[in-house]
Amino acid sequence: MGDSRLIQGRYRLHEVIGRGGMGEVWRATDEALGRRVAVKCLKPLGPQQDPHVRDIVRERFRREARVAAALQHRGITVVHDFGEYEGVLFLVMELLEGRNLSQLLAANAQNPLPVQDLVEIADQVADALAYTHGQGIVHRDLKPANIMRLRDGTVKICDFGIARLGADMGFTSKLTGTGIAMGTPHYMSPEQIGGGEIDHRSDLYSLGCVLYELATGVPPFDLGDSWAILIGHRDTVPSPPRSHRAELPDYFDRLVVDLLAKVPEERPADAGDLRRRIVSGRAGPSPFAPLPGVPARPPLPPTRPVPVDLPPGPAAPAPAWARGLAGGPRPVSAAGPRPPAHDPAAAVLTTEWTTAAPGTVLPGTAAPATGLSGTAAPGTTALPGTTAPASFPTAPPPAPAAPPAELVAVLAGRYRAGMGLGRLGRWDEAEAVHRSVAEDRSRVLGADHPDTLASHYEVGFALARLDRPADALHVFDRVARARARVLGEDHPDTLAARQERAYALGRLGRHPEAYELYAEVLAARERAVGPDHPDTLRCRHNLAFTLARLGRLEESYRTAHEVAQARARLLGPAHPDTLATRQEVAHVLGRLGRGEEALAQYRAVAEARASALGADHPETLAARYETGVFLGRLGQAADALDVCRDLVAARTRAQGADGPETLRARHALAVNLGRLGRWEDALAESREVHAVRERVLGADHPDTLLSRRETAVALGRLDRWEEAREIHRAVAAARTRLLGPAHPDTVAALEDEAHCLERLGRPAEAAALLLGAATPPRGAASA
């Protein structure tokens, strides 16, 4: 990473605290938030690396980051951020103080762990797996080195580096490039070895291997080479753990043996079932010793092997895909065994760093072994009985022409620059960069390539932030259709584009269409990942928002309240997503006329955000603004005024005097000055805000017109009714032109003007104006 230990201008690296897995792990400080973190860095993706491998590594990394960041459970390592810096992919995680289970065994001279500790670890890991499997995620590399025990006894699963979404099998197969699932030989399930379908029960088998080792000090198959270990997993029924350690409770022994069943259907149904068996066993009369006088149970019948036709017996020569696996004793450090030699991307992701000399062709990278269909590519040989081929070519065809690696890398760098501009709020520049990258990627990679579509997606995202919803809608429509064609209707990326399309429809006031689309996306997300997945809850949150805009307030409140409860349960009461939904609950409560409840919600959200994010964080200030609004509405104008003054100061520091949120806070300040009867002060403040808004936003912007109206209100209160009337008349004319004569805001402005005419002693003119406002325009539907 060069001489500097500061990356992304934010993360200060201090010392290496681990090597292996995907590379190095550093103890670090997040200087933006002042918290200690761990930063995992992959091997630098230098120009000597095969470009196809670099692309695979980047894609796997992005998938790990997205999957890991979506997981919110006490038994899962929290992922805060990810990115790429000077060619190094990095992942920012919570800093865990403790040791992984491999280190615990090594520190204990490979002696088994105490029974009580063993059962507690099994219980916590089962709980975490029940959550991840419920999200449709399979870990696929569960082993002692990937399970941490913290100093307080908490157990956490780490490193979802080769996790995959259960609903996304085809895309992951494309990334893996081979039917042989990655994993560590001592802990691989028989179906992983055979290249068959893998689901949550593969993780249960790996957990059985881990528990076996923790309980006995040795894995179920502690053999001399990797091929012998894999054959053991496939064909041999391991001796029960109690044959090594008689003190193990009977229920635990039976549980581990069931986990190690060769056929997935013979294992526990899921991690929830596993945990129930653990809890039931612990509650028994003597969970840590055999019952006196009870005879030992009869030997277990042999379990039938998985029907995959690998060469019989460990004496047979290992196939090419197994030759690169480390043999000999199990790993006791974080490094772990080496991956299959045919998969150099896995070498980068799952083992210690290696480099290839410039010009070296890594084995198996001449051409992909499989297509999306999973059938053998020309020139490859499939293992007998497996569903996908190993990637060693027998007569390799000419490799398809690939774009220049340097050009692909340059485009990736420009894409990251565009993302960085967006994070800085410089959306005009971000949109221009992403549009340019999208055009170049389309030419170099193809119009339907995932990277091209990702760039188009970011164009749409920037357009939405630039308040150009019509343009954003057009872009998201194209991206959603292309992703549906390439990835499938229910692919997460397709659903993300459709959800952004619904958001754009809402911004355009097309709330019925937005509602229908949100409902469709929500149904798809519930099918794919379940009702409690973060993406599902985000869609339901948006649905609640849209229901409120449709005037279906009771439905909106119920939906938002349910989402807030689910997020509090899954993510925690202070999680940003939980607080965002609580703020929506407060908004709907306010519209339902339940002002005191709305105020309490806004106050709670503001306090929680101040504690977690800081007093001047934009989200904290947004909740404080709403708190001030409801204080004023409930007649507590003096308190509201104090809140508004603090907001103006904070917004000025953050955005400057002309920032839109600064002016919004100043407008609220003027309103509350009026509520306190300080109309001269209110008039002066309203005039200043109006002048700035007219200069910054334009004369016809809704916020500018709102400030003009507030100026007129203050003039009226000061008995300057003619001046007030002229302003109300100008506001009504502008709203008629922009919104139409029947729009509620236009009618309200006409009513304001009529009130001024009444106060000026001109009731006939006032009546004529009100009559005109009440008469539907020609062609409008009557009530």
Side-chain angles (χ1 to χ4, degrees):
M1 286 196 177
D3 296 332
S4 174
R5 293 288 181 90
L6 184 69
I7 64 173
Q8 294 289 85
R10 176 171 181 175
Y11 301 109
R12 177 75 61 182
L13 306 186
H14 301 303
E15 59 182 334
V16 176
I17 57 176
R19 283 190 171 90
M22 293 189 343
E24 290 180 339
V25 181
W26 291 72
R27 189 187 307 276
T29 299
D30 180 351
E31 296 193 339
L33 296 178
R35 66 181 173 192
R36 297 188 303 161
V37 295
V39 177
K40 175 180 284 188
C41 303
L42 273 70
K43 174 191 172 187
L45 302 175
Q48 76 278 2
Q49 187 69 269
D50 184 276
H52 175 65
V53 174
R54 286 205 306 271
D55 291 342
I56 291 176
V57 170
R58 285 193 175 97
E59 189 59 41
R60 283 189 186 157
F61 174 77
R62 286 196 292 268
R63 289 176 58 76
E64 172 187 12
R66 289 169 184 155
V67 168
L71 299 176
Q72 299 288 337
H73 186 276
R74 62 184 176 276
I76 306 295
T77 307
V78 176
V79 172
H80 299 303
D81 194 10
F82 66 95
E84 184 172 356
Y85 182 76
E86 295 183 351
V88 176
L89 300 168
F90 68 90
L91 197 68
V92 182
M93 305 170 293
E94 66 176 327
L95 183 62
L96 303 178
E97 298 292 345
R99 291 187 288 187
N100 66 47
L101 300 186
S102 182
Q103 293 167 333
L104 284 178
L105 280 171
N108 202 33
Q110 298 307 126
N111 292 316
L113 299 184
V115 173
Q116 189 162 355
D117 291 353
L118 179 66
V119 175
E120 182 60 31
I121 289 168
D123 187 16
Q124 292 193 49
V125 174
D127 185 41
L129 285 178
Y131 167 77
T132 57
H133 294 164
Q135 309 306 305
I137 296 170
V138 181
H139 190 288
R140 299 211 296 172
D141 195 25
L142 204 64
K143 56 188 176 185
N146 282 340
I147 303 172
M148 288 283 293
R149 195 178 195 201
L150 309 188
R151 292 173 180 172
D152 65 358
T154 301
V155 178
K156 285 181 176 275
I157 301 177
C158 311
D159 203 355
F160 280 77
I162 56 174
R164 62 166 172 155
L165 299 174
D168 192 19
M169 302 284 286
F171 192 52
T172 301
S173 297
K174 177 183 177 183
L175 292 180
T176 304
T178 170
I180 304 303
M182 293 181 291
T184 306
H186 284 94
Y187 313 101
M188 286 175 71
S189 67
E191 58 267 31
Q192 276 182 294
I193 297 166
E197 288 291 330
I198 296 171
D199 61 16
H200 64 281
R201 293 168 298 184
S202 178
D203 280 352
L204 296 183
Y205 184 95
S206 298
L207 176 57
C209 296
V210 171
L211 295 178
Y212 193 106
E213 183 173 356
L214 298 181
T216 66
V218 293
F221 306 104
D222 195 24
L223 304 172
D225 67 85
S226 295
W227 183 233
I229 293 169
L230 297 177
I231 289 297
H233 282 299
R234 188 198 69 176
D235 290 338
T236 306
V237 177
S239 56
R242 289 184 76 189
S243 66
H244 298 272
R245 187 180 179 188
E247 68 179 292
L248 290 173
D250 184 80
Y251 82 88
F252 188 86
D253 186 52
R254 170 71 69 170
L255 183 148
V256 172
V257 170
D258 288 349
L259 287 171
L260 294 176
K262 304 299 181 187
V263 177
E265 289 77 9
E266 295 179 358
R267 299 172 201 152
D270 52 41
D273 176 45
L274 171 63
R275 191 166 187 237
R276 285 188 290 273
R277 291 175 61 175
I278 295 171
V279 171
S280 176
R282 295 176 80 172
S286 180
F288 301 123
L291 293 172
V294 177
R297 57 179 168 83
L300 290 168
T303 310
R304 70 179 186 274
V306 166
V308 291
D309 298 327
L310 297 177
W321 58 265
R323 292 173 195 152
L325 292 169
R330 66 197 174 282
V332 295
S333 68
R338 300 180 68 82
H342 72 279
D343 192 352
V348 177
L349 285 170
T350 60
T351 69
E352 57 191 7
W353 293 359
T354 58
T355 58
T360 301
V361 178
L362 296 171
T365 61
T370 62
L372 285 174
S373 64
T375 56
T380 62
T381 301
L383 293 175
T386 60
T387 58
S391 71
F392 52 99
T394 55
E406 294 80 3
L407 178 56
V408 174
V410 166
L411 291 174
R414 287 168 57 198
Y415 174 86
R416 292 192 302 274
M419 298 293 287
L421 288 166
R423 285 193 294 270
L424 293 171
R426 295 164 61 175
W427 293 109
D428 274 316
E429 295 162 282
E431 190 270 339
V433 170
H434 284 305
R435 188 176 295 278
S436 173
V437 174
E439 292 170 357
D440 290 341
R441 279 179 163 174
S442 180
R443 186 178 64 256
V444 173
L445 303 173
D448 284 348
H449 190 280
D451 287 352
T452 305
L453 297 176
S455 288
H456 282 300
Y457 179 93
E458 295 302 334
V459 170
F461 197 85
L463 288 169
R465 271 63 196 168
L466 289 168
D467 201 22
R468 295 168 57 185
D471 295 333
L473 178 63
H474 177 67
V475 172
F476 285 127
D477 184 59
R478 288 172 51 206
V479 173
R481 283 188 281 108
R483 283 178 168 174
R485 184 172 62 254
V486 175
L487 304 175
E489 290 284 352
D490 285 356
H491 190 280
D493 289 350
T494 306
L495 296 177
R498 295 186 70 201
Q499 190 160 319
E500 288 296 335
R501 185 174 180 273
Y503 179 80
L505 286 167
R507 291 293 303 278
L508 290 168
R510 295 162 61 178
H511 298 300
E513 295 171 80
Y515 170 79
E516 293 296 334
L517 188 49
Y518 278 133
E520 292 174 9
V521 173
L522 177 61
R525 290 201 186 281
E526 287 179 336
R527 286 196 305 271
V529 293
D532 285 345
H533 190 278
D535 289 345
T536 307
L537 293 175
R538 190 172 300 115
C539 190
R540 288 187 70 201
H541 171 98
N542 291 349
L543 189 68
F545 180 93
T546 305
L547 283 166
R549 276 62 192 172
L550 289 170
R552 297 161 62 175
L553 298 179
E554 289 292 348
E555 292 175 79
S556 175
Y557 170 72
R558 286 196 301 271
T559 303
H561 184 66
E562 290 168 2
V563 173
Q565 287 184 316
R567 283 178 159 175
R569 184 180 73 252
L570 297 166
L571 309 178
H575 190 278
D577 289 353
T578 306
L579 297 177
T581 305
R582 288 190 66 187
Q583 183 155 323
E584 186 62 26
V585 169
H587 171 81
V588 180
L589 284 170
R591 291 190 60 188
L592 286 168
R594 296 160 63 177
E596 291 287 354
E597 295 173 80
L599 176 61
Q601 286 279 355
Y602 280 127
R603 274 182 163 155
V605 171
E607 290 170 5
R609 285 177 172 170
S611 176
L613 305 173
D616 282 357
H617 191 279
E619 292 182 11
T620 305
L621 297 179
R624 290 182 65 203
Y625 172 84
E626 298 295 344
T627 301
V629 168
F630 273 88
L631 283 168
R633 290 179 184 174
L634 293 170
Q636 302 175 49
D639 293 336
L641 193 64
D642 290 339
V643 171
C644 290
R645 281 180 173 145
D646 290 343
L647 280 172
V648 170
R651 291 295 195 186
T652 302
R653 287 193 300 270
Q655 288 189 340
D658 292 352
E661 294 301 328
T662 306
L663 297 173
R664 194 169 180 232
R666 289 188 66 188
H667 177 87
L669 182 68
V671 170
N672 284 291
L673 284 168
R675 286 177 174 146
L676 290 169
R678 297 169 55 179
W679 290 109
E680 290 287 358
D681 294 334
L683 175 61
E685 190 71 24
S686 295
R687 276 180 164 163
E688 288 181 16
V689 173
H690 170 254
V692 178
R693 280 178 162 171
E694 187 171 38
R695 172 169 51 82
V696 174
L697 304 175
D700 287 343
H701 191 280
D703 289 350
T704 306
L705 295 176
L706 200 61
S707 289
R708 291 190 76 183
R709 179 190 182 275
E710 198 62 35
T711 300
V713 169
L715 286 167
R717 290 289 187 163
L718 292 168
D719 287 327
R720 296 161 64 175
W721 292 107
E722 189 59 52
E723 295 173 76
R725 175 189 172 252
E726 288 302 321
I727 294 176
H728 283 309
R729 186 177 183 181
V731 171
R735 286 178 172 172
T736 300
R737 184 175 68 255
L738 297 168
L739 306 175
H743 192 280
D745 290 349
T746 305
V747 174
L750 292 169
E751 290 171 349
D752 288 335
E753 184 184 354
H755 178 68
C756 292
L757 288 167
E758 287 182 58
R759 298 305 298 263
L760 288 166
R762 296 155 66 177
E765 293 175 71
L769 200 59
L770 291 172
L771 183 61
T775 304
R778 183 175 298 177
S782 57

